[in-house]
Amino acid sequence: MSSQDSPSPKPDGRRPSNTATPALASEDDAAVLAKLGYKQELKRNFSMIEVFGIAFSIMGLLPSIASTLAYSIPAGPVGLVWGWFIASGFIFIVGLAMADLGSAMPTSGGLYWWTHYFASPATRNPLSFLVGYSNTLGLVGGLCSIDYGFALMFLSVIVIARDGEWTPTNGVIYATFLACVLVHGVLASTLSKVMGKLQSVFVIMNMVLILATVIALPLGKSRASERNGASYIFTRTENLTTWPTGWAFMLSWLSPIWTIGAFDSCVHMSEEAANATKAVPLGILSSIGMCWVFGFVIVIVIAACMSPDLESILESPFGQPMAQIYYDAVGKKATLGLMTLLFIVQFLMGLSIVVAASRQTWAFSRDGALPFSSFFRPISQRFGYIPLRAIWGCVFLAAILGLLSLIAPAAAQALFSLAVAGNNLAWGTPIFCRVVWGRAKFVPGPIYTGDRFSVPIAWTAILFLAFGIVLSMFPTQGPHPTKETMNYTVVINCAVWAGALAYYYIDARKWFTGPKITVDVDALTEGQQEVLREEGLVSEPVRHRKSGDLEKSGGVGVLERTHHGAGV
């Protein structure tokens, strides 16, 4: 394994260009990255379709809906159907706000990079530090929840095969989870050269599962009398919690919030995407849009074909509400086939999120913010220019967090909300910083919602993300939780956030100065340059530099801020 070190001076004393070799990226993509302060180190194996594919495959639409039915079914068909539709619409607005940023500044560490760039001088370092840790935790939490869901689905097939006469222990569930995580680590390490192409396969697998389900469930309930009518599907409310009915409906939003929660993976793949300024925002929007539409179709079919006895679904002896819905509609043999396809697609989701999480971890270590950053920083050329150590760092952390499943089912459920709260804070903070402090510094990319709509969209996204954080920390069954029904997300996330800030103010503030900050001078007005100079982000106007200085920065005109005492 070898690191990509800084380029050595040429014999004439000049440093080589920051642009990448043709083996890694095109000159245009490498130049865009150089303007953000980074040289090209990862190989750009992902096309625009494949960037969409990694987000869509991590979302794993039907497996994710199946894994989170415990949030939506207690509110009845209205929660299942309209909760999905409304929350997905708000998530699409969040995607629009993030697409504006992703098109303007595509880099693997985009969320904390954007935070540092747009925040005020007094807040940029601690906020960037907090966002980096929250995003890393959120992604690893997403890996945990996906692989924990895989373990439950895989074991439910065994339970169905044994006619409900076997129940897996917490130890068996964790062992299955751990095996899944380790296999994901191996595959993410060895399949780098075809990982982009595999995303297209994963998308096809998702669509096959969706098609099989929306055909099989109505066929299984072939007589109209066996299916629920439109009035039941679209207007029937239930409340199987001790919360007020309205709040039970709001809690049903956790299903789409968790399901459509991987669109930032497009950002983390920025440095491996060809034509990133378009591939990243279009990947974000298309993955959210497809999940919104196809998910709405899926939940309508489920609501039409599920038993009106919702408690029997939630308390299924198979351990999975979706397994019970399949079983009631199509019988044992077909259920075994559909659940097998379901856990296979869930497994593919986990592989994709390991890839995305490792890129964020690597990017954060590249800027020296993680413990043991020098260890996680190297790129492995032998395995195809991937952050091999960062992959296994994510795998190890997921294995540790997965131990929550040994405590109680409620503690295991915290793995689902953990991803929601961690990612929501990481997504909302850079958007907030941009509209509060950074409007004068924002230079749109080729995909942009426009001056008229961009800021209102951003504020709507911020409010929704803040609401999602609060929502994810509520006990789902009622206001008087026991230790078995407590939602431990508030404990875990607040400990991480408080720990990150404590770490920063006690020690990291002495050495963490954030990522390198650079902007294309030709895209800036004199007023924008003045704002940057006033905040200390740049030391001098680039237009006054000599041509030799531009050559040292890779041949592109950039505004440059030193990082740990060194230039770009």
Side-chain angles (χ1 to χ4, degrees):
M1 178 182 318
S2 60
S3 171
Q4 298 293 304
D5 297 324
S6 299
S8 302
K10 293 180 180 179
D12 60 2
R14 293 184 291 110
R15 301 185 75 84
S17 168
N18 281 340
T19 56
T21 63
L24 294 181
S26 70
E27 287 293 323
D28 288 343
D29 280 324
V32 168
L33 189 59
K35 294 174 186 178
L36 301 178
Y38 299 122
K39 65 178 180 177
Q40 186 71 47
E41 298 183 72
L42 303 175
K43 193 169 184 178
R44 293 187 182 262
N45 288 319
F46 286 74
S47 67
M48 190 177 299
I49 296 296
E50 290 160 355
V51 171
F52 151 77
I54 195 167
F56 189 74
S57 61
I58 292 174
M59 293 172 185
L61 189 54
L62 189 51
S64 294
I65 291 174
S67 296
T68 54
L69 285 174
Y71 295 119
S72 53
I73 284 182
V78 164
L80 179 63
V81 174
W82 292 117
W84 178 274
F85 186 83
I86 295 172
S88 297
F90 280 110
I91 295 167
F92 190 80
I93 292 174
V94 175
L96 287 170
M98 189 176 291
D100 281 348
L101 297 175
S103 180
M105 295 168 286
T107 176
S108 293
L111 299 173
Y112 75 86
W113 197 101
W114 301 335
T115 299
H116 191 274
Y117 177 67
F118 289 119
S120 67
T123 61
R124 64 166 59 105
N125 285 347
L127 284 181
S128 174
F129 200 76
L130 174 63
V131 166
Y133 272 93
S134 188
N135 190 211
T136 302
L137 174 75
L139 287 166
V140 176
L143 169 62
C144 289
S145 57
I146 288 171
D147 284 4
Y148 181 75
F150 165 83
L152 294 180
M153 290 179 186
F154 177 82
L155 294 171
S156 74
V157 172
I158 300 176
V159 175
I160 294 169
R162 297 187 179 185
D163 297 315
E165 296 180 357
W166 176 75
T167 301
T169 64
N170 289 342
V172 171
I173 294 172
Y174 178 74
T176 307
F177 162 85
L178 181 61
C180 180
V181 172
L182 292 175
V183 172
H184 281 148
V186 172
L187 295 178
S189 302
T190 56
L191 298 179
S192 63
K193 294 181 180 179
V194 295
M195 190 61 68
K197 300 293 184 290
L198 285 176
Q199 301 311 312
S200 299
V201 177
F202 296 172
V203 170
I204 293 171
M205 291 289 292
N206 271 275
M207 298 308 297
V208 168
L209 176 59
I210 292 170
L211 188 63
T213 297
V214 299
I215 292 175
L217 287 180
L219 285 179
K221 300 272 189 175
S222 57
R223 288 178 295 184
S225 60
E226 295 178 328
R227 296 193 296 269
N228 301 312
S231 176
Y232 179 86
I233 296 169
F234 296 108
T235 65
R236 179 68 175 268
T237 59
E238 298 280 358
N239 186 2
L240 302 184
T241 75
T242 56
W243 292 109
T245 300
W247 192 246
F249 173 75
M250 302 309 298
L251 288 171
S252 72
W253 291 22
L254 285 172
S255 175
I257 287 174
W258 184 83
T259 299
I260 315 177
F263 51 86
D264 67 316
S265 58
C266 299
V267 176
H268 302 307
M269 302 309 296
S270 294
E271 296 177 35
E272 294 171 79
N275 196 12
T277 56
K278 292 183 179 180
V280 171
L282 293 178
I284 292 171
L285 297 176
S286 58
S287 59
I288 297 174
M290 285 192 65
C291 281
W292 185 5
V293 173
F294 285 108
F296 191 54
V297 173
I298 291 168
V299 294
I300 289 174
V301 171
I302 291 175
C305 299
M306 68 183 182
S307 168
D309 184 1
L310 301 182
E311 290 187 359
S312 69
I313 296 174
L314 293 174
E315 297 172 3
S316 170
F318 305 140
Q320 282 284 291
M322 195 68 204
Q324 188 66 52
I325 293 170
Y326 279 144
Y327 192 89
D328 292 341
V330 298
K332 178 179 177 179
K333 290 184 178 180
T335 297
L336 288 172
L338 288 168
M339 286 300 297
T340 298
L341 185 56
L342 197 69
F343 77 65
I344 290 173
V345 174
Q346 183 91 355
F347 178 84
L348 301 179
M349 292 167 58
L351 176 57
S352 294
I353 200 171
V354 168
V355 174
S358 66
R359 273 46 173 185
Q360 158 60 21
T361 303
W362 169 77
F364 207 35
S365 66
R366 174 174 59 182
D367 290 310
L370 288 177
F372 312 109
S373 284
S374 59
F375 175 80
F376 291 115
R377 168 70 180 83
I379 292 295
S380 171
Q381 295 183 11
R382 177 180 301 175
F383 284 84
Y385 292 92
I386 60 170
L388 185 67
R389 295 182 183 182
I391 289 173
W392 285 97
C394 292
V395 167
F396 178 76
L397 181 57
I400 298 300
L401 289 174
L403 291 171
L404 285 170
S405 64
L406 295 175
I407 300 174
Q413 288 299 315
L415 296 175
F416 288 82
S417 298
L418 181 67
V420 171
N423 282 327
N424 275 23
L425 184 138
W427 299 339
T429 303
I431 299 172
F432 177 84
C433 291
R434 183 217 148 186
V435 295
V436 173
W437 295 299
R439 293 194 201 182
K441 292 183 284 187
F442 179 68
V443 180
I447 306 297
Y448 180 45
T449 53
D451 294 337
R452 181 177 180 181
F453 298 106
S454 181
V455 173
I457 286 172
W459 277 116
T460 304
I462 292 164
L463 293 175
F464 175 74
L465 291 170
F467 175 72
I469 292 174
V470 175
L471 193 66
S472 70
M473 295 185 177
F474 269 77
T476 57
Q477 296 186 21
H480 304 292
T482 64
K483 65 179 182 179
E484 288 80 18
T485 61
M486 173 64 182
N487 186 343
Y488 292 93
T489 305
V490 63
V491 178
I492 298 171
N493 276 89
C494 289
V496 170
W497 293 336
L501 289 175
Y503 178 33
Y504 173 80
Y505 283 108
I506 292 172
D507 181 57
R509 64 182 177 83
K510 302 172 186 176
W511 46 264
F512 180 74
T513 59
K516 300 171 183 178
I517 306 297
T518 60
V519 189
D520 185 351
V521 67
D522 294 330
L524 294 178
T525 65
E526 291 291 343
Q528 289 171 330
Q529 292 184 51
E530 183 61 31
V531 170
L532 295 177
R533 284 195 291 273
E534 288 176 356
E535 295 194 0
L537 292 177
V538 296
S539 58
E540 60 173 310
V542 177
R543 289 188 177 91
H544 295 163
R545 294 184 182 179
K546 299 177 181 179
S547 60
D549 294 327
L550 293 179
E551 184 176 348
K552 293 176 184 178
S553 66
V556 291
V558 296
L559 288 175
E560 180 177 297
R561 172 187 180 271
T562 58
H563 181 62
H564 296 296
V568 175

